[in-house]
Amino acid sequence: MKLLLARLQTRRLALPLASVDRVVLRPRLEVLPDQPMWLAGFLQLAGESLPVLDVEALFEGRRCNWDLYNPIVITRDEANLALLFTAVEGLVEVPPEEFRPLKPEDSFQGVAAALIPSSDEWAPILVPKLLLIAQEQRKLEHWREVLRQRMERL
């Protein structure tokens, strides 16, 4: 399986390449007042407002120290999300027999499907559509609507 390796400071994570649409360097984001810590902002792309999740805030409880060179991974699944990381390290191909499967209860909020060997550590394979729980998805819909109304006023 082909995977995209990404990094949050010292933690390495993997995303199935099939769930990645593209990677962009830190474009301008629309940031709303009082948005949750895990929401970095919204990326305007092809007339659509994509929510950009701060993956470090989700996993580590602190915002990513980002600059213009932080990558944003745009997913292609039905969640329609973009993910902010510290770095993208590249592509790897890992045979499925090297995966260490995880039960949902064995990973943070059940968002990792398996672990893969990566250098001197095991990297979790994230399932983007599972990154937000239902409550967070409802909040995200609220913030999308706030942004839509704000853009209409411009």
Side-chain angles (χ1 to χ4, degrees):
M1 172 185 263
K2 287 188 179 182
L3 301 159
L4 178 76
L5 286 181
R7 183 165 288 287
L8 301 176
Q9 302 302 325
T10 60
R11 181 189 298 244
R12 184 174 284 142
L13 303 166
L15 293 162
L17 192 56
S19 70
V20 174
D21 181 47
R22 65 186 115 167
V23 177
V24 295
L25 291 181
R26 185 81 164 111
R28 182 174 168 264
L29 297 180
E30 297 291 334
V31 179
L32 300 170
D34 300 325
Q35 68 187 26
M37 181 174 71
W38 49 264
L39 181 59
F42 288 86
L43 171 62
Q44 300 302 314
L45 190 66
E48 200 174 340
S49 295
L50 291 177
V52 179
L53 302 186
D54 185 330
V55 181
E56 186 156 350
L58 283 172
F59 281 92
E60 307 290 344
R62 65 179 180 268
R63 285 188 178 258
C64 178
N65 293 326
W66 45 266
D67 59 29
L68 290 175
Y69 302 104
N70 283 74
I72 293 177
V73 176
I74 300 171
T75 66
R76 69 171 77 209
D77 62 17
E78 67 274 4
N80 208 16
L81 298 171
L83 309 173
L84 174 65
F85 290 99
T86 306
V88 167
E89 296 182 345
L91 299 175
V92 294
E93 188 150 1
V94 179
E97 59 270 12
E98 291 186 23
F99 289 12
R100 183 192 296 170
L102 288 173
K103 297 177 190 162
E105 64 269 16
D106 292 337
S107 78
F108 175 73
Q109 293 183 357
V111 301
L115 298 173
I116 59 162
S118 176
S119 300
D120 57 347
E121 61 185 318
W122 287 85
I125 301 173
L126 299 182
V127 181
K129 67 181 178 182
L130 299 178
L131 281 171
L132 296 178
I133 60 176
Q135 179 183 6
E136 292 166 334
Q137 293 208 15
R138 285 190 298 275
K139 285 182 184 176
L140 194 52
E141 288 307 314
H142 163 76
W143 289 108
R144 272 189 171 140
E145 181 60 20
V146 169
L147 178 62
R148 187 189 66 71
Q149 291 173 7
R150 182 178 173 186
M151 299 299 271
E152 282 180 355
R153 288 191 300 260
L154 295 178

